[in-house]
Amino acid sequence: MTNLSMLTPIVSVLCLFVLLYPITAASSTNFSYIPVDDIKLSCGSNGNSKGLDGRVWTGDNNSSFFPREEDNLKSDISEPPKEVLVQGAPYTTTRISYSRFTYVFSVTPGPKFVRLFFYPASYSGFEQSTDFFTVTAGSFTLLKNFSASILLDSLQGTSVLVKEFYANVDGDQKLNLAFIPLTTSYGNCYAFINGIEIVSMPEYLYYSKGLGPSDKEVPLSVGSSHQFYMYYTTALEMVFRLNVGGGLISPMDDTGMFRKWSPDGNYFKLAGVVQHRPSLIPKFSKIPNYTAPGDVYRSARSMSLNQSKNLLSNLTWELPVDSGFFYLVRLHFCEIDININNVSESQFIIYIDYQLAEENADVISWTGGAGIPVYRDYVVWIKNEEVERTPDYSLFISLHPKEGNSTFYDAILNGIEVFKLSNSDGNLGKSSDPKLGVMVNTAIESKKNRTFIAIGISTGLFALLFLMGCIVFQNQRKAKRSGSNYQLSRGTINEIIDPNLKGKIAPKCFEVFMQIAESCTRDEGIQRPTMGDVVEKLKFALEVQENAEAENESMNPGSEYIYPSTLSFFIDTTDDGPWATNEHGRTSDSGIVTGLTYSSFDEDCITSDNSQEVLKNSTKA
């Protein structure tokens, strides 16, 4: 009995090991790569901070990654508005500037993940919609005339953006990331960044290893039988990384490279069957175990059980991409259907962008058995033809059962990765987008319109100031002049005008305001206008301003015009000056009479446009 009692804990441990082994083995594949370089930089912050996933981010202030050079010193740091809910580092602060700024990373040679984190928000002193900028990594252009705010507006269900790129760093080089605001005639644009992540990657994870024509790991060029070599002279941008038929795989559940795998539901177009093998332990005998997490190969989409129906349909995904670039399409396969274990039992055709990519796909033939992951790479060119295609284009991936000797008319897919390839000059930015000028102009105009509204309010208050001055003057008629009249007579109206209006009001519009002001502050009540007259003149002032703006826009589209003559608001009241008095009142040098029409003046009163008396004195001043 004693010996049996001593064996009980041992048996319990062995049973627990047997029960937990599948879980432990499955999880161990998620940490199969340890990067040499793993830099997480929180831009605009000090010290270390944690993200929601527990990863530690280092602040860029006073760090070696952000040199104290002249251009960098022009940049600002900012935080999102207090009422905005942020998601932890690196989104709690930003580096932001109207001028170029640069980060410098000393890293080991080889290909790197470069991830840029953006949280578009209304940062103090910067208009949210006017972020247009370019990002370069050495000789590569990662983003060109990019606006995180505009891109975010087109997306749903997210408040942040992450852009992922791959670039090689040679042995004698550093990785320099430059952020360059767009310079246009429309107005000032700015650049910003919340976080930067630099992570080493396996040397041949996405780049070609072999040099010979027989190398099976070299991607096939869709539409031809040629191989397409991926050299380090090419930069890549991750466009899609999908866990087909499965759920979200977070960066912490990747294989050590912190990649995010998204569900494919938003891109899958037709009906199909989702397969799950949660207890599957993938056997990585054909590809490295860091290629993708095990969960990618534990789920898949396949076709229905109706064989006849399958022959009339496809498994199809629609993925929006930019035209004018080559794309690397990586398809992940692992046969998890318990009924398929032999070659030729399930064969299918692969189409990419409506072109034949694989005529005889057979997962078992590629791997040698079920439960063994494998991937196939294809490169496709998306033409940039203005007539036929817009810069936004849908890339279709379709799988169709192959008729013939197959036991099952079916197809299967476990994962999709799509990467944009840089063109011959190292550019990954969108091809010249005819809508760019419109977008920038719209953003700047939106800002200008808000400014103009503010100007309108200010000018309205400006006019109201004079009207109230008139009322005060009426109540204090013993005073010889009101404050406004006194400023007019001295030619120093600039002393009581909001300085933010300097240069913003067209000269003729300003003259009309002066007419209103001068007329409303006259000593004799009979010479002062009614409220209706004032309203009509204010409407005329707005019309004059709008006409001037339209004329300037026609000559300098998108530019913000400054009127030199109203920078100071100084009025020349000398006998020969533009505001000298004549028999009808004051006139400007343009010949505009500054006095209002007196025919509708009431006695000693100011009235509204419906002729209701507002203020009336029986005795004239």
Side-chain angles (χ1 to χ4, degrees):
M1 292 295 292
T2 304
N3 292 337
L4 288 175
S5 63
M6 292 177 63
L7 289 174
T8 301
I10 299 175
V11 172
S12 299
V13 171
L14 287 173
C15 292
L16 184 61
F17 175 80
V18 171
L19 289 172
L20 293 181
Y21 175 75
I23 299 175
T24 306
S27 300
S28 65
T29 61
N30 289 342
F31 303 94
S32 51
Y33 177 79
I34 300 176
V36 178
D37 298 300
D38 183 7
I39 300 169
K40 293 172 178 58
L41 196 65
S42 179
C43 303
S45 68
N46 295 292
N48 295 335
S49 54
K50 279 190 176 183
L52 294 182
D53 58 7
R55 290 188 289 171
V56 176
W57 294 75
T58 302
D60 69 345
N61 281 343
N62 300 317
S63 75
S64 60
F65 304 121
F66 194 69
R68 295 184 62 80
E69 298 174 351
E70 182 178 354
D71 286 343
N72 285 356
L73 294 176
K74 296 178 183 178
S75 67
D76 295 321
I77 59 176
S78 185
E79 298 179 358
K82 298 298 182 183
E83 64 272 13
V84 176
L85 180 64
V86 295
Q87 303 185 19
Y91 301 112
T92 54
T93 58
T94 188
R95 175 74 58 181
I96 191 168
S97 181
Y98 286 112
S99 302
R100 174 187 179 129
F101 57 93
T102 304
Y103 288 90
V104 179
F105 299 93
S106 296
V107 292
T108 59
K112 311 294 175 189
F113 289 95
V114 178
R115 297 188 181 102
L116 307 178
F117 297 77
F118 300 100
Y119 183 22
S122 297
Y123 296 104
S124 178
F126 295 85
E127 190 73 21
Q128 180 175 349
S129 61
T130 58
D131 57 315
F132 287 91
F133 54 97
T134 292
V135 181
T136 62
S139 61
F140 297 116
T141 299
L142 305 184
L143 295 169
K144 185 176 182 180
N145 300 333
F146 170 75
S147 173
S149 298
I150 290 179
L151 178 58
L152 188 68
D153 287 343
S154 67
L155 304 176
Q156 296 180 349
T158 182
S159 59
V160 298
L161 297 172
V162 181
K163 303 290 285 185
E164 180 178 296
F165 305 91
Y166 315 138
N168 183 63
V169 179
D170 292 332
D172 57 346
Q173 293 182 343
K174 295 181 179 180
L175 179 58
N176 295 343
L177 291 181
F179 295 78
I180 310 164
L182 176 64
T183 302
T184 73
S185 60
Y186 301 111
N188 294 329
C189 299
Y190 66 89
F192 79 101
I193 183 67
N194 297 88
I196 301 173
E197 184 178 25
I198 310 294
V199 178
S200 298
M201 60 191 296
E203 192 173 6
Y204 302 115
L205 178 62
Y206 297 112
Y207 290 96
S208 300
K209 180 178 181 180
L211 298 176
S214 62
D215 191 344
K216 295 181 180 180
E217 296 180 2
V218 176
L220 294 174
S221 182
V222 174
S224 73
S225 58
H226 299 102
Q227 292 179 307
F228 191 104
Y229 286 87
M230 300 284 300
Y231 296 122
Y232 284 156
T233 53
T234 301
L236 288 74
E237 177 186 355
M238 191 280 293
V239 184
F240 292 99
R241 181 176 286 121
L242 305 177
N243 180 20
V244 174
L248 172 69
I249 300 177
S250 71
M252 290 299 290
D253 292 322
D254 189 39
T255 58
M257 291 171 273
F258 309 106
R259 297 168 297 178
K260 177 182 176 181
W261 299 74
S262 302
D264 71 323
N266 291 334
Y267 310 102
F268 185 66
K269 305 307 296 181
L270 301 175
V273 175
V274 174
Q275 297 192 41
H276 287 291
R277 292 280 301 277
S279 62
L280 174 71
I281 303 174
K283 299 186 284 287
F284 288 95
S285 59
K286 293 295 181 179
I287 58 176
N289 60 354
Y290 53 66
T291 302
D295 279 346
V296 170
Y297 303 109
R298 295 187 184 100
S299 64
R301 287 191 189 271
S302 60
M303 308 192 79
S304 70
L305 298 176
N306 188 325
Q307 301 289 295
S308 299
K309 182 180 178 180
N310 290 351
L311 289 174
L312 300 176
S313 61
N314 298 324
L315 294 176
T316 300
W317 291 261
E318 181 182 2
L319 308 172
V321 297
D322 299 331
S323 60
F325 291 92
F326 282 101
Y327 286 85
L328 170 65
V329 177
R330 173 166 291 184
L331 304 181
H332 294 262
F333 300 96
C334 182
E335 187 56 74
I336 59 176
D337 189 329
I338 58 174
N339 297 309
I340 300 175
N341 296 280
N342 301 304
V343 175
S344 300
E345 286 186 338
S346 177
Q347 297 176 313
F348 51 93
I349 304 169
I350 301 174
Y351 297 97
I352 297 177
D353 193 35
Y354 304 108
Q355 302 178 73
L356 179 64
E358 193 82 49
E359 188 174 7
N360 189 20
D362 188 330
V363 177
I364 298 296
S365 175
W366 291 338
T367 62
I372 302 175
V374 70
Y375 65 80
R376 305 295 274 189
D377 285 344
Y378 308 91
V379 171
V380 60
W381 166 250
I382 304 299
K383 294 180 180 179
N384 186 18
E385 300 177 3
E386 295 182 3
V387 176
E388 297 182 12
R389 296 174 176 175
T390 63
D392 297 321
Y393 177 73
S394 290
L395 172 64
F396 283 89
I397 300 173
S398 297
L399 279 57
H400 181 74
K402 184 173 182 179
E403 296 185 63
N405 299 325
S406 297
T407 306
F408 302 97
Y409 293 146
D410 202 353
I412 189 172
L413 187 61
N414 303 75
I416 300 174
E417 292 182 274
V418 178
F419 309 91
K420 183 197 295 184
L421 309 185
S422 62
N423 58 26
S424 58
D425 63 356
N427 180 38
L428 276 167
K430 263 192 177 184
S431 302
S432 182
D433 190 342
K435 296 181 292 185
L436 175 63
V438 176
M439 290 189 294
V440 177
N441 190 23
T442 300
I444 300 296
E445 280 300 315
S446 176
K447 178 182 178 181
K448 287 170 63 178
N449 288 341
R450 286 190 290 272
T451 303
F452 188 76
I453 291 172
I455 293 173
I457 293 173
S458 298
T459 51
L461 291 174
F462 171 46
L464 182 61
L465 169 65
F466 286 112
L467 295 177
M468 292 182 67
C470 298
I471 296 174
V472 172
F473 175 80
Q474 293 282 57
N475 290 331
Q476 299 177 345
R477 60 186 182 279
K478 291 183 180 181
K480 294 297 182 182
R481 291 177 178 175
S482 69
S484 301
N485 197 319
Y486 177 64
Q487 300 293 348
L488 282 168
S489 65
R490 291 178 59 220
T492 54
I493 195 67
N494 59 303
E495 294 181 8
I496 61 171
I497 294 181
D498 185 350
N500 291 325
L501 299 178
K502 291 182 178 181
K504 303 290 181 64
I505 303 179
K508 291 184 179 180
C509 177
F510 181 58
E511 290 171 3
V512 176
F513 278 124
M514 291 304 98
Q515 295 172 23
I516 299 171
E518 190 272 340
S519 300
C520 286
T521 57
R522 287 180 176 172
D523 293 339
E524 297 297 328
I526 195 172
Q527 294 182 332
R528 291 191 293 272
T530 66
M531 182 65 78
D533 292 327
V534 173
V535 170
E536 288 302 315
K537 274 294 182 179
L538 288 175
K539 289 180 179 179
F540 176 64
L542 178 59
E543 181 180 347
V544 171
Q545 179 72 25
E546 289 176 341
N547 290 340
E549 294 286 348
E551 182 179 355
N552 292 329
E553 179 66 21
S554 66
M555 294 185 295
N556 300 288
S559 63
E560 182 176 359
Y561 189 80
I562 300 297
Y563 301 94
S565 58
T566 59
L567 280 172
S568 63
F569 290 117
F570 177 77
I571 301 173
D572 186 354
T573 59
T574 63
D575 291 341
D576 298 327
W579 288 90
T581 304
N582 66 13
E583 60 181 344
H584 300 295
R586 299 185 184 272
T587 61
S588 71
D589 52 3
S590 62
I592 296 179
V593 179
T594 61
L596 297 178
T597 303
Y598 303 148
S599 60
S600 61
F601 282 14
D602 212 325
E603 279 192 328
D604 193 341
C605 66
I606 298 177
T607 62
S608 65
D609 54 5
N610 60 5
S611 301
Q612 290 181 336
E613 187 174 83
V614 177
L615 176 66
K616 182 173 182 179
N617 294 319
S618 58
T619 306
K620 295 184 176 59

